Amino acid sequence: GAAEGAMTAVRLVCALALLAATPARAEEVPYVQTPQNVVEAMLELAGVRGNDFLIDLGSGDGRIVITAAQKYGASGVGIDYDNYLIKESTDNAAKAGVADRARFLKEDIFETDLSAATVVTMYLLPEFNIRLRPRLLAELRAGARVVSHDWDMGEWAPDAQIEVAAPEKKIGLRKTSKLYLWIIPAQLAGKWETRVPVGDGSMAIELELEQAFQNLGGVARIDGSARPIERSVVRGRYVAFRVDDPAGGSIRFQGNASADRIVGQVATPDGRTHPWRALRVK
Ligand SMILES: C[S@@+](CC[C@H](N)C(=O)[O-])C[C@H]1O[C@@H](n2cnc3c(N)ncnc32)[C@H](O)[C@@H]1O
């Protein structure tokens, strides 16, 4: 509608303003700093703690990694392809007394190994986010958090988003920043086998799960009839959903997923809860 059109126009203006900020080629992300209050809001949104390992993709003067180390006790690496910025950020980390926990590597962000990160931050451009998206989903562990300044991930809806005042912002028409948070979902698509207690025995259920980002669907096969997976929630390793019970009421599942099993509880229509696990068969 009109609101969406206006949003697109605002984004276009922001993108052009960002591109105009330094004389860079059109396919490059120019160096623009995230204002310090916005850096802190990004780290708060990600819930950064001392045991986190953060990677900032396109780290500029290093402020995000350095603040994560200084204020939250985290460790991290900043990636930038600009030699000068790598030197400057390494110096800044030393001055801040966090050289051991805030390191900087001259690398292309599209080559960087992301697998060690529990938090990834970025202030890039929309098409860069989209290009990074499959690697973030595939390489990061379930439960890792991704925070982007100003740009979303297209079809992959954020798990949270906020807008913060950014009076020091050098670009854009409005002095505000949008911050988006995604939590890497467990990979649940496929076939799973499970059993649910009924009376003195149990019934076999086959789950055929379909997944797009954090949206889970599919069917549960009970006694040869397919019942839809409903009211699903996926947040990191946590998964919950419901299935109609053939005898009436609904069966509610919740648990934590790893690659080949989900372990948690199931609530049956009689109001009881039982330990539950499902095993991947495909
Ligand atoms: C908008 S700035 C953000 C800097 C910092 N993260 C911040 O928020 O203050 C983007 C940074 O990404 C770097 N960059 C852009 N494309 C890159 C690439 N392909 N590989 C490595 N660094 C890149 C630029 O040199 C620039 O420092």
Side-chain angles (χ1 to χ4, degrees):
E4 263 166 31
M7 275 300 298
T8 307
V10 168
R11 286 183 179 181
L12 193 59
V13 169
C14 289
L16 292 174
L18 189 52
L19 284 169
T22 61
R25 280 185 288 133
E27 71 273 22
E28 291 184 343
V29 183
Y31 172 45
V32 182
Q33 297 161 348
T34 296
Q36 187 59 28
N37 74 299
V38 179
V39 169
E40 285 169 26
M42 290 173 77
L43 298 174
E44 290 289 334
L45 184 60
V48 172
R49 297 284 174 271
N51 56 0
D52 276 311
F53 184 78
L54 180 147
I55 297 181
D56 185 27
L57 294 174
S59 49
D61 66 2
R63 56 182 59 206
I64 295 178
V65 183
I66 291 168
T67 305
Q70 219 173 13
K71 200 169 167 191
Y72 300 87
S75 304
V77 173
I79 307 295
D80 211 291
Y81 58 13
D82 183 317
N83 265 324
Y84 174 81
L85 289 172
I86 290 298
K87 182 175 183 323
E88 185 188 354
S89 48
T90 304
D91 291 348
N92 288 344
K95 275 184 220 143
V98 294
D100 54 333
R101 280 179 293 120
R103 293 178 305 113
F104 296 90
L105 294 176
K106 181 184 187 291
E107 248 173 48
D108 186 327
I109 57 172
F110 294 103
E111 310 279 310
T112 296
D113 177 0
L114 304 174
S115 58
T118 58
V119 175
V120 170
T121 53
M122 42 206 215
Y123 182 24
L124 298 167
L125 282 173
E127 58 273 27
F128 279 64
N129 285 10
I130 301 299
R131 272 175 68 193
L132 287 164
R133 194 172 78 182
R135 293 201 35 226
L136 294 166
L137 285 160
E139 289 181 30
L140 295 175
R141 67 193 81 175
R145 296 91 80 203
V146 177
V147 171
S148 171
H149 181 180
D150 273 348
W151 308 112
D152 67 18
M153 292 273 190
E155 317 247 276
W156 183 14
D159 292 285
Q161 75 182 77
I162 59 171
E163 192 160 343
V164 297
E168 300 158 39
K169 202 165 180 174
K170 302 284 194 300
I171 54 137
L173 300 177
R174 300 175 59 208
K175 300 294 173 199
T176 71
S177 287
K178 286 199 173 147
L179 303 182
Y180 299 90
L181 169 73
W182 296 265
I183 299 173
I184 301 297
Q187 295 182 9
L188 296 158
K191 270 195 188 172
W192 303 76
E193 278 176 358
T194 189
R195 302 193 76 85
V196 169
V198 194
D200 293 338
S202 66
M203 65 180 173
I205 301 182
E206 190 176 71
L207 303 170
E208 287 178 20
L209 302 182
E210 292 164 7
Q211 184 177 12
F213 309 114
Q214 66 278 68
N215 307 307
L216 189 69
V219 295
R221 294 191 189 280
I222 308 177
D223 278 341
S225 81
R227 293 157 188 281
I229 302 291
E230 293 175 321
R231 307 267 294 267
S232 64
V233 174
V234 179
R235 197 173 165 92
R237 293 180 57 214
Y238 176 81
V239 54
F241 56 89
R242 294 180 181 202
V243 174
D244 279 346
D245 189 299
S250 65
I251 312 170
R252 290 175 291 144
F253 300 87
Q254 60 172 316
N256 285 301
S258 52
D260 59 359
R261 65 185 55 207
I262 308 171
V263 177
Q265 292 97 43
V266 61
T268 43
D270 59 10
R272 295 168 60 189
T273 62
H274 316 264
W276 168 63
R277 71 176 189 170
L279 297 177
R280 185 187 282 283
V281 288
K282 231 196 241 168

